Amino acid sequence: MGMHIGHGYDVHAFAEGRRLILGGVDIPHDRGLDGHSDADVVAHALADAILGAGRLGDIGGLFPDTDPAYEGADSLVLLARVMEVVSAHGLELIDCDCTIAAQAPKLSPYRDRMRENLARACGVPVSAVGLKATTTERLGFVGREEGIAAWAVALVADASPNPASPAAQA
Ligand code: MG
């Protein structure tokens, strides 16, 4: 079975008057993240990790921010579409892990809900999705609360052949 690894990284800046959506969870905060879509930075990092493992480009290519169709888009829907693309290329997501760097707000209360949402969008068990959050000890743009960064790694495998398929029986 062929195994492939992918890595994704994304950053969005804070902006006034925006909701803060992370891993599909609407998190109470005085500001949200700016972006064409809902700016779910961890969903974007994960999508890029999965696409990277499949050597299938990136979400900027799949869902251009110049396309009005994606204005305010739910990034979990985009993540599910990424999984359709990956699946169409004969690949399946085996495991993934995400890290969010945010000085504020505190994200640990939302971690399990974020994992559940990301897993549902990817069509994998919750146990296949790791997620951690950290501050940067007030260093850098994250520490100055200018934005939030997220990283993800994904392990993708060539999908196992369907034992019922004629090709598998030949
Ligand atoms: Mg993004």
Side-chain angles (χ1 to χ4, degrees), residues 36 63-68:
H36 186 65
F63 312 114
D65 65 8
T66 49
D67 187 335

Side-chain angles (χ1 to χ4, degrees), residues 64-136:
D65 65 8
T66 49
D67 187 335
Y70 304 117
E71 191 169 343
D74 177 343
S75 295
L76 293 186
V77 172
L78 303 185
L79 185 56
R81 290 219 198 130
V82 162
M83 294 308 300
E84 288 172 9
V85 170
V86 164
S87 178
H89 282 80
L91 299 165
E92 60 186 358
L93 176 63
I94 302 297
D95 205 59
C96 61
D97 191 32
C98 310
T99 300
I100 304 171
Q103 192 64 45
K106 188 172 174 56
L107 298 178
S108 55
Y110 308 102
R111 185 182 59 186
D112 289 346
R113 282 170 59 202
M114 289 192 268
R115 289 180 64 208
E116 287 164 12
N117 287 344
L118 293 168
R120 192 180 328 109
C122 291
V124 298
V126 177
S127 59
V129 179
L131 192 146
K132 309 162 304 296
T134 183
T135 72
T136 59

Side-chain angles (χ1 to χ4, degrees), residues 10-12 39-41 44 59:
D10 196 24
V11 171
H12 282 263
D40 188 335
V41 66
H44 294 179
I59 53 168

